[in-house]
Structures are given as C-alpha cells and as structure tokens.
C-alpha cells in the first residue's frame, strides 16, 4: 500500500471531514498546455486505498488511549508501542514530562512512516489534471478550509497553504497539478 504525506493540520481536517481533495504537482511539468497529452502516470489511482503518513513519537505511559480520544494517543497492538501523532495535542494540564523519557518522545519524520503504524486511510475516488489556479471555491472548501474568522478570503487562505508547502512550484507559477478526490476509509477498504 502506498503512503501519502499531509501537514498535521490537513490530517486533522481529513479526520474532521473537512478535507476531501488534495492537489499534487505533476512532475515533470508538461511543456505545453495540452494536459490530455500527459505521459506521466499519477501516483495514486481511483479505487486505491492509501495510508496517511504522520510525524510521531513513542511514549512510555501506561494509561489506555481511550482516556482522551483516539486522535491523541494510539496504541499499536501490532508491536505493543504507544505513539503520539503530530496533529494531536496534549490535554490541558497534562504533565508530559513523565511521558517523554530516555530519548523516547522525539518527533520522527513522516517520510519513513510505515503502513503498520497508520491509523488513517483514504480511498481515491477520482482524479483529474488541471492548472493550480483553476481551483474553484467549492474545491477550496474541499481542500480543508477551516471555519475560522481570520481567513480573509478562501483563495487567500489556499494560496498561503499552497506556498507554505510548495516552495519549488509557488501559486504564481500556476503549475499543472493532479487533483485527487478522496474519502476517509478503514484499512483495506
């Protein structure tokens, strides 16, 4: 099974049901505007289930994960380790110093995150190729637009998010992208 990277706030948006689309730069970029003539194959195909790669840390605590919620600590029964995931927050007033000892608890890169540790999966429903700036307002909401007051406009929010992730292909360059529509699913769905 293939994995896919998302920023922690986008993983949270997926779990909350706000994010159902993602755009990924087509590499290499086509030489002309004829998107139909792409020879590049998209990384993910419709019908494929993909696991979400997350930054994580090991913990030594022994309290069951159900005390808070499964977004916070996940007990992996396959290897007996307890993991905390990056978008999760420590509960207010919780003394984390007792749970990060002996070098454990250091954040690990999501780049090398293995399927066996995954707790969230998405199923690719469909895909299309388009120019980045062709994104519509409904698509911006499907990209996980938060329901917050400080967002001036949806397009400004999306430009900021895009540019924070894609330094090599900023919004202004208007690259061709694969647009993946997906749904959250269970393992193996």
């Amino acid at each position: 099974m293939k994995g896919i990277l998302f920023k922690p706030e986008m993983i949270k948006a997926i779990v909350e049901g706000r994010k159902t689309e993602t755009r990924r730069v087509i590499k290499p970029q086509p030489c002309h505007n004829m998107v139909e003539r792409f020879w590049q194959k998209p990384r993910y195909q419709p019908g494929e289930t993909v696991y979400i790669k997350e930054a994580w840390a090991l913990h030594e605590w022994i309290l069951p994960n159900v005390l808070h919620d499964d977004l916070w600590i996940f007990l992996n029964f396959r290897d007996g380790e307890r993991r905390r995931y990056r978008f999760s927050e420590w509960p207010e007033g919780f003394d984390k110093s007792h749970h990060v000892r002996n070098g454990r608890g250091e954040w690990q890169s999501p780049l090398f995150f293995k399927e066996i540790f995954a707790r969230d999966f998405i199923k690719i429903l469909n895909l299309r190729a388009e120019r980045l700036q062709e994104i519509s307002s409904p698509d911006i909401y499907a990209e996980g637009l938060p329901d917050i007051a400080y967002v001036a406009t949806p397009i400004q929010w999306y430009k900021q998010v895009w540019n924070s992730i894609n330094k090599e292909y900023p919004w202004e360059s208007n690259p061709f992208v694969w647009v993946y529509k997906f749904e959250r699913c269970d393992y193996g769905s």
Side-chain angles (χ1 to χ4, degrees):
M1 182 180 294
K2 296 174 190 164
I4 189 168
L5 288 169
F6 288 100
K7 287 195 163 268
E9 59 271 16
M10 293 296 103
I11 297 171
K12 186 173 183 182
I14 291 168
V15 170
E16 292 172 352
R18 291 184 290 112
K19 184 168 179 66
T20 58
E21 275 186 17
T22 189
R23 282 160 174 72
R24 304 296 163 123
V25 174
I26 296 174
K27 295 180 184 178
Q29 286 284 289
C31 297
H32 17 147
N33 290 340
M34 298 301 292
V35 79
E36 296 84 19
R37 296 188 186 185
F38 284 164
W39 56 267
Q40 296 94 329
K41 182 179 176 186
R43 175 150 173 78
Y44 311 104
Q45 299 295 320
E48 187 172 17
T49 299
V50 180
Y51 72 94
I52 297 177
K53 294 181 171 191
E54 299 185 63
W56 56 277
L58 291 175
H59 288 273
E60 296 178 342
W61 69 298
I62 58 172
L63 298 172
N65 57 325
V66 295
L67 285 179
H68 299 289
D69 63 37
D70 66 353
L71 300 180
W72 183 59
I73 299 289
F74 174 72
L75 174 59
N76 190 313
F77 292 100
R78 295 181 207 164
D79 67 359
E81 294 284 4
R82 290 168 178 85
R83 288 176 172 73
R84 176 173 180 261
Y85 294 90
R86 187 63 153 204
F87 86 80
S88 307
E89 298 176 5
W90 291 102
E92 187 174 331
F94 191 82
D95 182 5
K96 64 183 175 187
S97 64
H98 297 293
H99 307 287
V100 181
R101 293 180 286 214
N102 305 325
R104 295 169 68 93
E106 298 293 323
W107 287 117
Q108 305 297 311
S109 170
L111 291 175
F112 307 107
F113 189 81
K114 296 180 180 175
E115 175 188 348
I116 191 172
F117 305 131
R119 61 189 177 146
D120 292 304
F121 301 83
I122 59 173
K123 184 173 187 174
I124 306 299
L125 301 176
N126 60 50
L127 73 110
R128 68 182 185 275
E130 69 182 24
R131 288 280 195 172
L132 176 63
Q133 293 179 16
E134 292 174 5
I135 192 169
S136 67
S137 290
D139 288 340
I140 292 172
Y141 284 92
E143 283 278 0
L145 178 70
D147 185 23
I148 48 178
Y150 71 82
V151 174
T153 67
I155 196 71
Q156 288 175 330
W157 170 81
Y158 189 71
K159 284 180 189 178
Q160 179 183 354
V161 169
W162 180 268
N163 286 336
S164 73
I165 298 168
N166 298 281
K167 307 289 188 207
E168 190 178 343
Y169 296 93
W171 174 265
E172 295 73 24
S173 70
N174 197 21
F176 282 102
V177 294
W178 293 118
V179 180
Y180 294 98
K181 180 83 172 160
F182 62 84
E183 65 183 4
R184 189 171 176 223
C185 67
D186 295 327
Y187 176 80
S189 295

